[in-house]
Amino acid sequence: MSILTILEFPDKRLRTKAKEVTVFDDKTKILVSDMIETMYESKGVGLAATQIDVHQRVIVLDVSEEKNEPFCLINPVIIQKDGEEESEEGCLSVPGFFENIKRAEHIKVKAFDKDGKVFELDAKGLLSICIQHEMDHLLGKLFVDYLSPLKRQRIKTKLVKIHKQEGKQTK
Ligand code: GNR
Ligand code: NI
């Protein structure tokens, strides 16, 4: 098991569009378990492979109270959505910033599990929001993209300043 480095905005690699997983093998299982470990270590409720610079359509989530119900969605597709709700979102790739974002209220998702078995999932509440947030990552999209250019620029400037102080490089 390994903890992976999470890319931070405005890193350009976060803009990469992930590719479909075509082979389900031991490497897929290792990726999923490393992502789950990284998500727990970072205290996130979800993580997309894009955030760890792996550009495959893989998401891990755990919205349970006890943090003992991890699962993954591979090649997820939203097959139904309805309603609209606004809630405060944060992102491990935009640390320290929280903003209200509008999403669909209910979604029905079709995806594959780590063994390559297809399944469907009905989601509402935090799970629905998180799946939509993670699926955006797979398209190279971040929650800051829903904000005004001014707000987005302010967040960018603050994070770049912090990264310089920390000696982090942003590609
Ligand atoms: O940990 C996370 N919490 C969260 C809260 C509200 C809406 C979305 C999220 S996802 C985030 C982890 C993350 O950045 N996943 O990409
Ligand atoms: Ni995120």
Side-chain angles (χ1 to χ4, degrees):
M1 301 265 276
S2 4
I3 289 163
L4 308 159
T5 306
I6 297 176
L7 303 177
E8 292 184 7
F9 178 68
D11 196 309
K12 292 269 189 324
R13 293 171 288 183
L14 287 167
R15 299 309 189 176
T16 313
K17 189 170 179 271
K19 294 198 163 81
E20 299 268 304
V21 171
T22 53
V23 184
F24 292 81
D25 57 12
D26 286 352
K27 277 173 83 177
T28 318
K29 286 176 186 153
I30 292 168
L31 171 64
V32 168
S33 79
D34 286 348
M35 283 176 63
I36 291 170
E37 199 186 1
T38 304
M39 170 179 73
Y40 286 146
E41 166 77 15
S42 320
K43 308 259 180 263
V45 291
L47 188 73
T50 310
Q51 293 176 277
I52 51 144
D53 204 22
V54 172
H55 302 290
Q56 298 182 32
R57 294 186 57 80
V58 178
I59 288 168
V60 296
L61 298 146
D62 189 343
V63 295
S64 72
E65 203 93 325
E66 316 251 297
K67 290 286 163 278
N68 58 359
E69 292 171 35
F71 66 100
C72 75
L73 298 178
I74 299 178
N75 301 342
V77 180
I78 293 178
I79 51 176
Q80 223 173 282
K81 61 175 177 179
D82 63 81
E84 192 180 71
E85 71 178 327
E86 194 176 57
S87 72
E88 193 172 74
E89 293 195 18
C91 180
L92 296 170
S93 296
V94 191
F97 295 89
F98 301 89
E99 298 286 346
N100 283 324
I101 306 292
K102 270 188 202 145
R103 303 274 185 190
E105 188 180 7
H106 296 111
I107 57 170
K108 189 174 200 153
V109 185
K110 181 186 164 205
F112 295 84
D113 69 13
K114 63 181 180 350
D115 302 309
K117 191 167 170 271
V118 71
F119 68 102
E120 284 184 15
L121 177 71
D122 278 302
K124 58 181 174 64
L126 180 61
L127 180 60
S128 167
I129 291 160
C130 279
I131 292 172
Q132 293 173 73
H133 174 113
E134 305 310 338
M135 286 183 69
D136 272 355
H137 277 301
L138 300 180
L139 297 171
K141 191 162 184 174
L142 298 168
F143 84 85
V144 297
D145 299 345
Y146 296 102
L147 307 176
S148 70
L150 179 63
K151 266 194 180 174
R152 185 164 53 252
Q153 186 56 46
R154 282 186 180 146
I155 294 172
K156 182 175 168 180
T157 303
K158 285 179 188 164
L159 281 174
V160 166
K161 195 173 164 194
I162 293 166
H163 293 161
K164 285 209 176 104
Q165 284 166 351
E166 290 176 348
K168 237 182 226 170
Q169 97 267 31
T170 297
K171 278 195 193 157

